[in-house]
Amino acid sequence: MEMPVSFDYAPAPESRAVVSIKPKYGHFIAGKFVAGSKHFPTINPATEEVLSQIALAGKAEVDAAVKAARKAYTTTWSKMSGKERGKYLFRIARIMQERAREFAVLETLDNGKPIRESRDVDVPLAAAHFFYHAGWADKLEFAGLGTSTKPHGVAGQIIPWNFPLLMLAWKVAPALAAGNTVVLKPAESTSLTALLFAEVCQQAELPAGVVNIVTGDGSTGALIVNHPGIDKIAFTGSTEVGKIIARAVASTHKSVTLELGGKAANIIFEDAAIDEAVEGIVNGIFFNQGHVCCAGSRLILQESVADEVLEKLKARMAKIRVGDPMDKNTDVGAINSKEQLTKIIELSASGEAEGAQRWSAPCDLPNKGFWFAPTIFTGVTQAHRIAREEIFGPVLSVLTFRTPQEAIDKANNTPFGLSAGVWSEKGSRILWATQQLRAGVIWANTFNKFDPTSPFGGYKESGWGREGGRHGLSAYLKGVGHE
Ligand code: NAI
Ligand code: MG
């Protein structure tokens, strides 16, 4: 008799003993932690447990941070050789690696993402960004960006909650390598790893004021954007706020880079390796709960293989383990905030109301915390909101096509243009498709691969400028970046 083979996973919880979270935090200004005035709670979205109280920076604190950054720029950092700056960046990278487990646990507690991802993706990539840019610090004149490049001065950096430490690394590492000093604001729901990074700056004996971290919400972000003492703004977040920032800096001397939303097409041609494509679809939309600007949120399937792909996709989705982010076997963790969950629920409801068919993976969701089962919508048309708007959650909209040109037309029919995926066995078809697609990053027979050497950024409403690689470096140097 044949027995069905099934593998059940025993719980494999990561210990949180490695982190010590303070009941209350201040800001990191001029190399020191300074007490905040007002505070707000930060919670674990998987349990709704209050982890700590985070300070809300107002005008006085932002002023102090900008002043500290300016002083560090004029007296220390701009006078230091690239080789010396590089030493600090290498030191920071090594300390991040040494404290990787602490960073991973803290990120998972504060953000809700699976420990497997914070441990294997976020933290190693964040360290890699510091290592990569440490290497550039003394070689700027060989980057092909001119022989007498100059930093902007003080950079104001505002980051989102989906990859808190990684987005900090994308911002801080190139800024420092190019010779700028920074005032950075993490997102209000995920400040803890940025505050741990401040400790790393102290441990690395980074000169006071080179990195300043102020915490707070959009009002703090706006104070940074509008501060006359800041020379360059770097922002990652919603297109809505990106537009506000673009307007705010339009008539100033400030240079700006914006990394905004997306609605990426993941195109599966009929000759693709279907099993691999199914893995790529899952990774494309369910990685990090779908809280990914470059997520493959529109699956564009050739009609001849649509039934086969959907059947295999549903079977694969039924095996996704949703639950405790601190469990090492978890694939999909908690939605980062109640607000984001509300947005996902609202957009999914619009999908049903507009006539698309909803299917969610069968899974037991925890009673406390913010959760959403991996979901797909079939029968989606280009007019549906779920085909046009960024859901930023574990929700996939499926469209179909008959001819390759139709796939491209559908893929490009969006105000965004951050990323795309193409699955085909044929190299010529991949090259043809990638040339037609209006997207900054295009993956062929894979998805969501990141590397500090590779520029990342979008077309159209997905943003201005690039981050990573030589292109990203140029944004932190005068006269060569996107101004
Ligand atoms: P958001 O754009 O409001 O927040 C991102 C960062 O900007 C946070 O640090 C926030 O405090 C700051 N901020 C907010 N208003 C600001 C202002 N007026 N001036 C300066 N800084 C400001 O994003 P939110 O509200 O958290 O998410 C809303 C939607 O945005 C999501 O549902 C998703 O669709 C999209 N989003 C996209 C991200 C991406 O990586 N492209 C990241 C986060 C959100
Ligand atoms: Mg917002």
Side-chain angles (χ1 to χ4, degrees):
M1 199 178 85
E2 233 180 275
M3 295 288 287
V5 181
S6 97
F7 294 99
D8 286 331
Y9 287 78
E14 173 64 273
S15 163
R16 62 186 278 179
V18 66
V19 299
S20 64
I21 303 175
K22 297 186 184 85
K24 196 189 243 189
Y25 286 88
H27 309 286
F28 181 64
I29 298 173
K32 293 196 185 74
F33 285 94
V34 298
S37 39
K38 283 190 211 156
H39 289 82
F40 60 92
T42 190
I43 62 166
N44 177 345
T47 59
E48 296 175 61
E49 171 203 359
V50 174
L51 294 170
S52 184
Q53 299 291 327
I54 302 297
L56 179 81
K59 191 171 181 311
E61 286 105 337
V62 171
D63 272 344
V66 174
K67 219 172 139 194
R70 175 63 59 193
K71 189 173 170 211
Y73 178 73
T74 45
T75 62
T76 317
W77 205 242
S78 67
K79 300 221 165 109
M80 202 183 273
S81 69
K83 192 171 156 202
E84 287 303 307
R85 288 199 310 274
K87 281 188 197 167
Y88 286 104
L89 290 170
F90 276 121
R91 218 184 270 174
I92 289 171
R94 283 194 298 267
I95 298 171
M96 285 175 89
Q97 285 186 321
E98 278 163 20
R99 302 182 71 171
R101 192 145 158 252
E102 217 177 320
F103 272 112
V105 169
L106 199 55
E107 197 77 300
T108 284
L109 290 173
D110 205 17
N111 169 282
K113 66 173 69 203
I115 186 74
R116 190 165 56 79
E117 289 179 8
S118 49
R119 183 196 63 201
D120 298 347
V121 182
D122 296 64
V123 178
L125 265 179
H129 270 268
F130 278 95
F131 276 117
Y132 173 73
H133 287 97
W136 270 126
D138 64 346
K139 303 177 196 71
L140 295 175
E141 60 268 45
F142 306 109
L145 303 168
T147 49
S148 57
T149 53
K150 286 205 168 52
H152 291 289
V154 177
Q157 310 185 313
I158 297 159
I159 56 172
W161 42 264
N162 53 341
F163 294 94
L165 181 70
L166 183 58
M167 290 302 103
L168 174 151
W170 281 29
K171 297 279 181 286
V172 174
L176 264 45
N180 304 271
T181 58
V182 311
V183 175
L184 175 128
K185 189 196 83 66
E188 47 270 48
S189 62
T190 54
S191 303
L192 292 180
T193 48
L195 293 163
L196 182 59
F197 178 80
E199 277 181 38
V200 170
C201 293
Q202 286 183 325
Q203 207 182 330
E205 292 172 13
L206 187 70
V210 172
V211 168
N212 303 275
I213 295 174
V214 290
T215 51
D217 60 12
S219 67
T220 309
L223 286 168
I224 294 174
V225 168
N226 295 304
H227 201 291
I230 282 179
D231 305 305
K232 187 232 160 35
I233 295 290
F235 171 78
T236 297
S238 62
T239 295
E240 183 196 351
V241 173
K243 287 179 181 176
I244 295 173
I245 293 175
R247 276 194 292 271
V249 300
S251 57
T252 72
H253 74 291
K254 290 170 198 162
S255 124
V256 62
T257 41
L258 303 171
E259 206 268 272
L260 311 175
K263 192 74 188 175
N266 201 2
I267 305 174
I268 317 289
F269 287 104
E270 60 188 359
D271 64 345
I274 300 296
D275 290 340
E276 281 159 37
V278 167
E279 283 306 308
I281 295 164
V282 167
N283 175 42
I285 186 63
F286 302 123
F287 170 61
N288 201 34
Q289 297 71 245
H291 300 327
V292 183
C293 47
C294 55
S297 54
R298 287 182 301 147
L299 177 62
I300 307 200
L301 282 179
Q302 191 144 16
E303 225 173 65
S304 47
V305 291
D307 289 345
E308 183 192 354
V309 171
L310 288 172
E311 191 186 316
K312 286 185 166 169
L313 178 61
K314 286 177 183 173
R316 176 67 181 81
M317 282 171 67
K319 292 196 167 66
I320 291 175
R321 293 178 297 268
V322 185
D324 182 6
M326 287 289 276
D327 191 307
K328 291 170 199 160
N329 290 323
T330 292
D331 298 313
V332 171
I335 300 303
N336 180 252
S337 67
K338 195 172 189 177
E339 293 73 41
Q340 191 58 31
L341 179 60
T342 305
K343 181 181 168 185
I344 297 167
I345 292 172
E346 195 265 321
L347 269 163
S348 299
S350 85
E352 281 178 299
E354 291 184 329
Q357 289 84 54
R358 175 182 189 152
W359 184 88
S360 295
C363 53
D364 297 325
L365 299 177
N367 295 323
K368 282 212 115 178
F370 314 129
W371 303 93
F372 199 89
T375 295
I376 57 175
F377 278 96
T378 51
V380 178
T381 74
Q382 298 184 83
H384 289 161
R385 280 182 67 200
I386 56 168
R388 293 184 287 119
E389 295 177 32
E390 185 175 49
I391 302 175
F392 223 61
V395 181
L396 179 67
S397 300
V398 185
L399 297 100
T400 57
F401 68 94
R402 288 183 183 169
T403 66
Q405 189 56 50
E406 191 189 345
I408 301 297
D409 292 345
K410 284 189 169 160
N412 285 339
N413 185 12
T414 167
F416 298 111
L418 191 52
S419 64
V422 180
W423 296 79
S424 167
E425 205 104 276
K426 242 178 147 176
S428 59
R429 176 164 289 161
I430 289 172
L431 290 174
W432 173 82
T434 52
Q435 278 163 2
Q436 314 297 313
L437 288 167
R438 296 281 294 159
V441 181
I442 303 173
W443 289 287
N445 293 329
T446 186
F447 210 95
N448 274 343
K449 289 275 184 288
F450 307 98
D451 191 290
T453 65
S454 172
F456 181 94
Y459 286 73
K460 300 192 272 187
E461 293 192 13
S462 287
W464 293 349
R466 297 290 177 267
E467 293 188 291
R470 261 176 3 93
H471 302 70
L473 198 59
S474 73
Y476 285 95
L477 294 166
K478 249 188 203 155
V480 290
H482 186 112
E483 307 241 6

